[in-house]
């Protein structure tokens, strides 16, 4: 979706132009990140940028509601929930008279570029405004409100939208701003309620937002392992009441102390009648006599600080929105900017609105399967995974296949979710599932036991690794491993872990030549906070670690704001063995999410001149109203003995340098986050991601085992029988381990190509560094009808 063009100077793109940014409709966490990025990147390009306070109402009323933004006016807003510039439902803008007033206010200020952050109603209104712009100018000319010169200067209005909606109900986009944060609020409540409900053996019903879209309910159900979910897109079958009661009864019979039912507020049955918390509560209480409690979350879901994902999403979308506005021509259709996988995309606004309306129409007409498909690939994959895991009875016919599952490397949040779904999907396929404790050591020493459905109950919300994990590699104990694979009759292997899992998988494949027992299909699922697995854009666990860092930075920033003129240096993890951190993913993304002034990483070499530039930059900043500086860096320890690795630029060195050079202007503090980044309960993303990756892995192995069954036994020695399940751009694919060798920097334990390095200039621009942004590669407009999402 990218096209190359002749590069232009990005700092001159906006000269002579003016951009207005407004937030409209319901608020969503992450809107402030989008506003901040729009303002700062707009100023960076040389454009004037204006806040429109109180949404479309402010646009109509004008006056002080439309104010020029400065660099400092968006400082310290990244971590704030809601929208700082305000939002309001506006009846006036629905009339032509109101829109004419809005047009007049924009023309008087020379604003011809409008960035709207809101839902489908807000964006549809913006498109209508654009379409009748010429007509509105004529009305204003005739009334003498504007001059002919002003009309000529403002002859065309460019519109770009960013979707801010916690419901994730806008078709064509993978995630809307605010959705991930809303899921964080929901899961915090689910985790809190679960402890009390378990204590009393209760059933609990949770109603979440989603009047017309069941995304929040569906992902919550996957992330907490709910027994049942009710969503508007897929009403339950006739007789659902009996089915629900049977399922809850069965769960109690196998030892579960709690039952969880998630309801979207717009849930309906096949006859269009609402399914409410009270209806379900009365049903469960009367038919089963279960002690049942219901909770309606309401506006709690809109509140709180935005998650790391929403901050990065808002920031990236703000950058893309400014570029789309400044590159637009009168022939360019109004577009929305969004992410597809990890890629920035531009989509025709009205195509997205059209498909969104088609979903509503399909539901109204009872075409529910079509409604699920129209929601997009992401929603469909979530629904299919939920349906798979919702079955709780194993098939009568067994496959006689034994699949072993293990964790390798450092523990991370989300590992247990992947193990749970892999084991349950395997049981549903008729396989016998074996747990290997303590990684390759356990495989060599026979620490292997069969797993049951109930054993992994409640694992999705648990951090760390319940199976136990070690960093040991298999090469030195390959003989014992092959003997145990034969002894326990293991036919396939699921390895969940970090770089050690990747290298260990390669060692098993290499040993196939000598040990026939190792000729079995295997799949590696990336799970590491460092996000350094070759071939994969994302790893299970990285999102949780990123949120831990971001939350800590928020607290530190509050401290810095209170004391004034203080710089904090924060050291994050990176993934090199023995804590010699090499992968800069966490430092870079945390820098974006926390609003850091710099992020030092191995992949981007730096020296004394760069450090001097950073110090001077902060000294300059401290002279303005921004009295807080935040430095995120990735430490490189001296153990490397490699002069190219900045071995001498330790955290202590940089701390001492900043302390010395900042004397009299700012003081300096340092904070080493350490292993707290590996702990904690998994974020909704990591629970959901782990659940889907575990399920996909076992389903793939099931098919691969059929291919490899020859002469009454399993024999797999082709490269495509040993794969890494990678998330690449917009899709999850199974990539042979052997194919990824060339993309691996084994010495530093990182991939040779890393997509997130392209985000580094954004971090620097948002911190007011005068650097160049590559404008030769731009996102082209895509048609949403043909577009397919990611997992």
């Amino acid at each position: 979706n990218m096209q190359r063009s002749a590069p232009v100077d990005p700092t001159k793109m906006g000269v002579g132009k003016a951009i207005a940014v407004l937030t409209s409709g319901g608020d969503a966490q992450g809107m402030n990140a989008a506003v901040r990025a729009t303002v700062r990147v707009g100023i960076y390009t040389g454009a004037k940028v204006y806040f429109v306070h109180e949404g479309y109402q402010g646009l109509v009323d004008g006056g002080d509601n439309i104010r020029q933004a400065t660099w400092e006016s968006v400082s310290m807003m990244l971590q704030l929930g809601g929208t700082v510039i305000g939002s309001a439902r506006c009846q006036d803008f629905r009339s032509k008279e109101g829109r004419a007033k809005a047009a007049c206010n924009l023309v008087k200020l020379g604003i011809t570029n409008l960035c709207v952050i809101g839902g489908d109603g807000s964006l549809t209104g913006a498109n209508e405004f654009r379409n009748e712009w010429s007509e509105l100018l004529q009305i204003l000319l005739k009334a003498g409100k504007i001059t002919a010169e002003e009309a000529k200067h403002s002859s065309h209005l460019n519109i770009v939208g960013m979707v801010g909606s916690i419901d994730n109900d806008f078709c064509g986009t993978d995630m809307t701003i605010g959705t991930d944060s809303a899921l964080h609020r929901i899961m915090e409540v689910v985790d809190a309620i679960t402890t009390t409900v378990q204590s009393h053996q209760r059933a609990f019903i949770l109603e979440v937002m989603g009047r017309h879209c069941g995304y929040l309910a569906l992902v919550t159900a996957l992330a907490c392992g709910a027994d049942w979910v009710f969503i508007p897109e897929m009403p339950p079958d006739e007789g659902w009441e009996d089915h629900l009661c049977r399922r809850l009864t069965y769960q109690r019979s196998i030892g579960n102390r709690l039952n969880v039912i998630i309801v979207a507020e717009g849930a309906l049955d096949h006859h269009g009648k609402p399914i409410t918390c009270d209806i379900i509560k009365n049903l469960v209480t009367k038919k089963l006599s279960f002690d049942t409690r219901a909770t309606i979350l309401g506006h709690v879901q809109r509140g709180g600080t935005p998650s790391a994902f929403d901050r990065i999403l808002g920031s990236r979308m703000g950058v893309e929105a400014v570029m789309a506005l400044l590159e637009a021509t009168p022939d360019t259709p109004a577009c929305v900017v969004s992410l597809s996988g990890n890629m920035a995309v531009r989509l025709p606004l009205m195509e997205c609105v059209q498909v969104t309306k088609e979903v509503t129409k399909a539901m109204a007409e009872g075409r529910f399967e079509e409604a699920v498909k129209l929601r997009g690939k992401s929603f469909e994959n979530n629904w299919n995974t939920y349906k798979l895991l919702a079955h709780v009875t194993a098939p009568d016919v067994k496959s006689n296949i034994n699949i072993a599952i293990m964790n390798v490397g450092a523990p991370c949040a989300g590992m247990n979710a992947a193990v749970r779904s892999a084991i349950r999907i395997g049981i549903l396929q008729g396989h016998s599932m074996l747990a290997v404790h303590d990684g390759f050591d356990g495989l060599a020493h026979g620490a292997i036991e069969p797993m049951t459905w109930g054993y992994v109950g409640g694992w999705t919300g648990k951090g760390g690794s319940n199976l136990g994990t070690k960093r040991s590699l298999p090469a030195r104990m390959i003989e014992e491993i092959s003997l145990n694979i034969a002894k326990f009759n293991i036919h396939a292997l699921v390895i969940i872990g970090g770089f050690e899992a990747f290298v260990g998988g390669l060692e098993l494949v290499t040993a196939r030549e000598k040990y026939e027992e190792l000729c079995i299909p295997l799949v590696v699922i990336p799970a590491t906070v460092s996000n350094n697995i070759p071939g994969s854009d994302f790893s299970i666990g990285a999102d949780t670690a990123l949120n831990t860092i971001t939350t800590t930075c928020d607290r530190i920033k509050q401290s810095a704001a209170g004391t004034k003129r203080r710089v904090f240096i924060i050291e994050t993890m990176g993934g090199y063995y023995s804590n010699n951190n090499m992968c800069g993913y966490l430092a870079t993304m945390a820098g974006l999410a926390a609003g850091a002034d710099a992020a030092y990483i191995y992949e981007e070499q730096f020296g004394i001149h760069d450090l001097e530039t950073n110090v001077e930059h902060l000294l300059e900043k401290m002279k303005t109203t921004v009295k807080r500086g935040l430095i995120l860096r990735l430490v490189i320890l001296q153990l490397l003995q490699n002069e190219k690795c900045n071995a001498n630029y330790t955290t202590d060195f940089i701390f001492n340098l900043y302390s010395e050079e900042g004397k009299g202007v700012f003081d300096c503090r340092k904070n080493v986050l350490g292993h707290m980044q590996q702990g904690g309960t998994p974020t909704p993303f990591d629970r959901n991601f782990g659940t889907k990756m575990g399920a996909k892995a076992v389903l793939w192995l099931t098919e691969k085992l059929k291919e490899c069954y020859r002469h009454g036994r399993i024999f797999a020695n082709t490269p495509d029988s040993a794969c890494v399940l990678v998330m690449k751009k917009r899709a999850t694919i199974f990539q042979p381990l052997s194919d990824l060798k060339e993309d691996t920097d084994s010495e530093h334990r990182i991939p040779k190509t890393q997509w997130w390095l392209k985000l580094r200039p954004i971090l620097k621009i948002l911190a007011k560094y005068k650097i160049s942004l590559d404008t030769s590669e731009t996102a082209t407009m895509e048609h949403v009808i043909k577009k397919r999402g990611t997992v």
Side-chain angles (χ1 to χ4, degrees):
N1 73 319
M2 309 299 282
Q3 72 176 18
R4 298 200 73 83
S5 57
V8 295
D9 183 354
T11 60
K12 303 285 193 296
M13 284 176 72
V15 173
K17 297 179 181 179
I19 299 168
V21 57
L22 66 86
T23 54
S24 176
D27 64 300
Q29 309 97 317
M31 280 183 167
N32 290 323
V35 170
R36 171 180 175 268
T38 304
V39 168
R40 289 194 167 177
V41 176
I43 292 170
Y44 163 81
T45 64
K48 286 183 179 178
V49 186
Y50 291 84
F51 291 133
V52 180
H53 291 267
E54 311 308 331
Y56 284 121
Q57 192 64 55
L59 202 61
V60 173
D61 295 343
D64 283 345
N65 287 302
I66 306 176
R67 289 177 238 161
Q68 189 168 349
T70 64
W71 193 276
E72 289 76 25
S73 62
V74 292
S75 182
M76 295 297 282
M77 75 190 305
L78 187 61
Q79 69 271 27
L80 301 177
T83 166
V84 169
I85 60 174
S87 178
R89 310 281 181 188
C90 179
Q91 288 301 319
D92 292 343
F93 195 74
R94 294 177 184 272
S95 68
K96 186 160 285 190
E97 184 186 353
R99 291 194 292 275
K101 284 182 183 176
C104 184
N105 291 326
L106 292 180
V107 170
K108 289 295 180 185
L109 291 168
I111 299 168
T112 56
N113 299 282
L114 186 60
C115 178
V116 178
I117 308 166
D120 59 343
S122 303
L123 299 181
T124 302
N127 189 64
E128 187 179 346
F129 188 42
R130 175 183 182 268
N131 288 340
E132 63 180 22
W133 183 256
S134 298
E135 186 186 342
L136 295 173
L137 292 185
Q138 290 304 313
I139 292 170
L140 294 170
L141 265 173
K142 282 180 184 176
K145 300 273 181 74
I146 61 172
T147 66
E149 187 62 32
E150 286 172 331
K152 184 180 177 183
H153 180 263
S154 304
S155 61
H156 180 73
L157 179 69
N158 295 318
I159 295 281
V160 169
M162 286 182 265
V163 191
S165 165
I166 67 165
D167 293 333
N168 202 28
D169 56 355
F170 197 77
C171 291
T173 61
D174 276 356
M175 285 285 270
T176 55
I177 294 168
T179 303
D180 188 65
S181 300
L183 286 168
H184 274 253
R185 299 297 90 76
I186 295 167
M187 290 314 303
E188 285 162 11
V189 172
V190 170
D191 287 347
I193 289 176
T194 297
T195 55
T196 180
V197 171
Q198 255 179 336
S199 302
H200 298 278
Q201 278 194 288
R202 285 175 175 153
F204 97 84
I205 305 156
L206 184 73
E207 183 188 289
V208 300
M209 282 185 169
R211 198 171 303 153
H212 306 294
C213 178
Y215 185 87
L216 289 179
L218 181 54
V219 174
T220 299
L222 273 177
C224 72
D227 297 300
W228 198 287
V229 65
F230 293 93
I231 59 173
E233 291 86 351
M234 191 57 73
D237 295 333
E238 294 288 350
W240 62 268
E241 295 91 345
D242 290 336
H243 189 176
L244 172 62
C245 290
R246 283 197 305 273
R247 184 174 296 175
L248 299 184
T249 304
Y250 177 78
Q251 289 289 2
R252 289 290 173 94
S253 72
I254 60 173
N256 286 346
R257 293 182 58 84
L258 81 158
N259 300 112
V260 181
I261 301 164
I262 307 295
V263 189
E265 65 176 312
L268 304 167
D269 66 14
H270 266 286
H271 304 292
K273 292 179 182 175
I275 298 174
T276 65
C277 278
D278 286 340
I279 289 171
I280 300 165
K281 182 181 176 182
N282 291 336
L283 170 72
V284 175
T285 305
K286 286 176 184 175
K287 290 197 82 170
L288 301 178
S289 299
F290 284 4
D291 190 3
T292 308
R293 297 289 186 274
T295 301
I296 297 173
L297 276 190
H299 280 74
V300 167
Q301 295 157 85
R302 288 194 188 278
T305 58
S307 66
F309 177 89
D310 274 329
R311 299 182 198 196
I312 293 165
L313 175 65
S315 299
R316 290 185 66 186
M317 292 308 91
V319 175
E320 190 62 33
V322 171
M323 292 301 157
L325 282 170
L326 298 182
E327 290 165 9
T329 67
D331 299 324
T332 309
C335 74
V336 288
V337 293
S338 185
L339 283 188
S340 181
N342 62 16
M343 299 170 69
V345 292
R346 299 177 190 176
L347 309 165
L349 191 157
M350 291 318 292
E351 278 192 29
C352 295
V353 171
Q354 180 191 335
V355 178
T356 303
K357 287 179 177 175
E358 283 175 13
V359 176
T360 308
K361 187 181 176 188
M363 288 193 290
E365 294 173 358
R367 295 179 283 117
F368 299 111
E369 293 284 353
E370 190 178 338
V372 169
K373 279 185 163 51
L374 285 168
R375 280 276 180 233
K377 205 72 178 170
S378 173
F379 191 96
E380 192 180 358
N381 283 339
N382 284 326
W383 176 248
N384 289 336
T385 306
Y386 165 74
K387 281 196 300 183
L388 279 171
L389 289 167
H391 295 287
V392 291
T393 49
D396 295 329
V397 181
K398 299 294 180 185
S399 66
N400 295 321
I401 292 292
N402 299 321
I403 298 180
I405 187 163
M406 62 198 293
N407 294 157
V408 174
C412 68
M415 273 183 165
N416 292 323
V419 171
R420 171 189 171 271
S421 70
I423 284 171
R424 289 194 167 179
I425 292 294
I427 290 170
L428 292 171
Q429 296 292 311
H431 309 323
S432 295
M433 301 301 291
L434 304 173
V436 180
H437 297 281
D438 302 325
F440 287 115
D441 280 9
L443 193 57
H445 301 136
I448 302 166
E449 63 170 336
M451 296 293 275
T452 61
W453 183 279
Y455 191 84
V456 290
W459 278 28
T460 47
K462 292 181 179 174
S465 166
N466 286 358
L467 293 184
T469 180
K470 287 189 176 179
R471 293 183 181 273
S472 311
L473 293 172
R476 61 181 178 80
M477 44 192 167
I478 208 79
E479 180 87 34
E480 295 91 336
I481 286 173
S482 63
L483 288 171
N484 275 327
I485 285 176
K487 177 182 175 183
F488 288 90
N489 201 21
I490 295 170
H491 301 109
L493 194 57
V494 179
I495 307 170
I496 302 169
F499 203 84
E500 290 84 4
F502 173 76
V503 175
L506 275 172
E507 289 182 1
L508 292 180
V509 170
T510 304
R512 280 176 171 180
E513 293 177 14
K514 191 174 179 183
Y515 299 94
E516 198 175 301
E517 295 86 354
L518 300 178
C519 293
I520 57 173
L522 68 89
V523 61
V524 174
I525 300 176
T528 165
V529 301
S530 303
N531 197 32
N532 62 336
I533 303 299
S536 193
D537 292 343
F538 293 103
S539 297
I540 296 166
D543 186 68
T544 304
L546 186 54
N547 276 280
T548 301
I549 298 167
T550 305
T551 303
T552 306
C553 288
D554 286 349
R555 292 173 180 174
I556 288 170
K557 281 168 77 175
Q558 280 182 331
S559 161
T563 52
K564 307 292 185 190
R565 301 184 183 277
R566 180 166 285 180
V567 172
F568 279 86
I569 295 172
I570 298 166
E571 178 186 311
T572 69
M573 281 183 165
Y576 191 72
Y577 199 63
S578 300
N579 293 325
N580 294 320
N581 302 308
M582 286 294 136
C583 183
Y585 174 83
L586 284 181
T588 298
M589 300 309 263
L592 268 174
D597 291 286
Y600 301 122
I601 63 170
Y602 160 75
E603 289 91 342
E604 197 173 88
Q605 297 295 307
F606 62 92
I608 196 69
H609 172 70
D610 301 293
L611 293 171
E612 184 183 16
T613 301
N614 293 155
V615 172
E616 288 171 358
H617 177 75
L618 274 177
L619 286 167
E620 189 64 32
K621 269 184 138 177
M622 292 297 179
K623 294 173 186 175
T624 71
T625 55
V626 180
K627 301 290 198 303
R628 177 268 319 149
L630 179 66
I631 297 291
L632 258 86
R633 77 167 303 275
L634 186 76
V635 71
I636 310 299
L637 299 183
Q638 293 178 331
L639 292 170
L640 281 172
Q641 297 181 357
N642 181 343
E643 61 185 12
K644 292 181 181 178
C645 293
N646 298 324
N648 296 310
Y649 295 130
T650 63
T651 300
D652 286 338
F653 174 83
I654 291 177
F655 168 71
N656 291 333
L657 177 72
Y658 273 82
S659 298
E660 185 63 33
E661 296 297 323
K663 275 183 179 175
V665 181
F666 60 78
D667 62 353
C668 206
R669 298 288 186 273
K670 66 178 175 181
N671 194 303
V672 179
L673 299 187
H675 280 74
M676 67 183 288
Q677 295 161 82
Q678 288 182 342
T681 57
T683 58
F685 177 87
D686 277 332
R687 298 183 199 204
N688 190 21
F689 191 35
T691 297
K692 285 191 283 189
M693 295 290 266
K696 279 175 182 282
V698 172
L699 292 173
W700 178 82
L701 282 175
T702 302
E703 293 304 310
K704 192 57 67 176
L705 284 162
K706 291 174 186 173
E707 290 176 25
C708 300
Y709 186 76
R710 296 175 201 148
H711 311 298
R713 69 190 184 103
I714 305 294
F715 185 79
N717 66 347
T718 56
D720 67 353
S721 64
C723 289
V724 185
L725 175 51
V726 301
M727 186 174 175
K728 198 74 176 170
K729 291 184 178 176
R730 303 186 186 187
T732 47
I733 55 174
F734 290 88
Q735 197 156 358
L737 278 158
S738 53
D739 290 358
L740 293 168
K741 273 187 191 175
E742 289 183 11
D743 188 38
T744 306
D745 178 352
S746 297
E747 181 187 353
H748 303 114
R749 299 159 51 82
I750 54 173
K752 290 179 182 175
T753 53
Q754 300 189 88
W755 67 272
W756 50 266
L757 286 170
K758 288 185 177 180
L759 303 184
R760 300 271 305 164
I762 295 174
L763 190 155
K764 292 176 182 177
I765 288 168
L766 293 176
K768 211 176 182 178
Y769 283 90
K770 292 179 174 65
I771 65 153
S772 182
L773 185 67
D774 182 8
T775 57
S776 63
E777 198 177 70
T778 59
T780 56
M781 193 81 81
E782 294 191 8
H783 291 287
V784 71
I785 313 299
K786 297 174 185 173
K787 192 177 154 304
R788 289 291 177 265
T790 71
V791 298

